[in-house]
Amino acid sequence: TLRLFDIASGYTNAVTTYDGHTNNVVSVGFQKDGKWMFSGSEDGTIKIWDLRAPGCQREYESGSSINTVALHPSQAELISGDRDGNIRVWDLGENACSAELVPDGTKAVRCVSIARDASLFAAANISGSVFVWRLNSKGAGGTKFEPMQKLQAHATYIIKCLISPDCKQLATTSSDQTIKIWDMTSNFACDKTLTGHQRWVWDAVYSADSEFLVTASSDATARLWDVSSGETIRHYTGHDKAVITVTMHDDLPPAEPQPDVEPQPAEGTTSASP
């Protein structure tokens, strides 16, 4: 179940509840103008929900448990990674899967990340490998993936990979309790290894200027890091159990304009006016 809350009103109950998934919901995100949102689930589906109308407007069947979903900066494609090692591109304009990648056999893809300028795409799997592609969105047929780099970033699970807002760094978090920063401008050299967490590091988010990183860990803490020095600036405590996700409210100037493709309601459904 997904629940939508209006934080501006001060009303603490859910404004809307969205049902339809039959297993854990593991990924959710909003279209940039807040007109619709997407969700990915371990039931093997990705669903699109129009925030101006009730119910699910569109569903994509992956055939395998979804671990991660990302929205392309153009707002025209969703990219998913699943438990069977598949990466699929879902073209919202064509309403179909437009590309499939299997970078490392059946090794589960844990996380995907798209550069905010749509130039690069990264995916990480449970064996500690990260794959990076150069993206080409020109021409018909949707986004094209040009293999660029493979990294054996960690010796065990990678849980999160994240391309920095300035598109110069790649951060990876792992069950080995570390975060690694990879310099994408220098042949993907490992620039920093951030240590301090005592258990798995589940999530990370960059500041808008790419100078700071916030991480979340099973050690029940979050940390704010100075990326250039590799030092912890703040250590946030207070939780009694694992912290598995984190986000940051930070101003970010818009990237270069991208064409916006808005999903249309599926046949037989109706949509309210904006």
Side-chain angles (χ1 to χ4, degrees):
T1 299
L2 293 90
R3 292 186 173 92
L4 189 65
F5 296 85
D6 184 350
I7 60 174
S9 69
Y11 183 63
T12 57
N13 292 327
V15 175
T16 311
T17 298
Y18 299 93
D19 292 310
H21 285 298
T22 59
N23 208 327
N24 296 326
V25 177
V26 296
S27 187
V28 65
F30 287 96
Q31 183 260 1
K32 65 179 181 180
D33 297 320
K35 295 179 180 179
W36 50 269
M37 67 179 179
F38 63 89
S39 58
S41 169
E42 291 180 351
D43 65 12
T45 69
I46 299 166
K47 295 181 185 290
I48 293 179
W49 313 84
D50 190 330
L51 302 185
R52 304 160 295 177
C56 173
Q57 271 63 52
R58 190 175 295 184
E59 177 179 298
Y60 299 110
E61 177 63 56
S62 176
S64 179
S65 178
I66 298 291
N67 287 332
T68 178
V69 184
L71 177 61
H72 192 284
S74 70
Q75 314 293 290
E77 293 171 325
L78 291 169
I79 306 180
S80 65
D82 67 35
R83 188 175 294 173
D84 288 339
N86 304 300
I87 297 168
R88 291 188 172 94
V89 182
W90 307 93
D91 188 315
L92 303 182
E94 298 295 328
N95 197 27
C97 178
S98 60
E100 294 187 15
L101 304 170
V102 186
D104 203 8
T106 59
K107 295 176 183 176
V109 177
R110 283 291 314 175
C111 187
V112 297
S113 179
I114 310 172
R116 69 182 301 266
D117 65 358
S119 61
L120 298 172
F121 172 74
N125 69 18
I126 60 171
S127 68
S129 298
V130 180
F131 300 84
V132 182
W133 292 264
R134 184 175 284 109
L135 299 184
N136 183 351
S137 300
K138 297 179 180 179
T143 299
K144 307 299 182 184
F145 293 75
E146 177 188 338
M148 184 178 181
Q149 186 75 30
K150 176 185 178 180
L151 298 170
Q152 189 57 48
H154 298 263
T156 183
Y157 292 145
I158 294 177
I159 307 173
K160 178 82 172 190
C161 65
L162 183 65
I163 297 173
S164 62
D166 64 7
C167 306
K168 296 179 179 180
Q169 301 170 351
L170 175 71
T172 57
T173 78
S174 173
S175 60
D176 67 10
Q177 307 176 10
T178 71
I179 306 100
K180 294 188 179 182
I181 308 296
W182 306 87
D183 186 350
M184 295 196 297
T185 68
S186 181
N187 200 29
F188 289 86
C190 184
D191 184 53
K192 295 282 188 312
T193 298
L194 310 183
T195 59
H197 282 301
Q198 301 302 307
R199 293 189 178 180
W200 291 26
V201 185
W202 284 93
D203 199 11
V205 60
Y206 272 101
S207 61
D209 59 10
S210 303
E211 294 184 4
F212 303 96
L213 191 74
V214 180
T215 56
S217 170
S218 293
D219 64 12
T221 73
R223 287 176 181 259
L224 172 66
W225 306 84
D226 183 322
V227 175
S228 63
S229 68
E231 299 296 324
T232 297
I233 302 174
R234 298 280 189 275
H235 189 199
Y236 303 104
T237 61
H239 284 291
D240 296 322
K241 294 185 178 181
V243 184
I244 61 170
T245 188
V246 65
T247 190
M248 185 185 298
H249 178 72
D250 201 6
D251 291 333
L252 192 66
E256 294 183 8
Q258 299 280 352
D260 188 11
V261 176
E262 182 179 345
Q264 299 300 314
E267 185 177 353
T269 65
T270 59
S271 175
S273 299

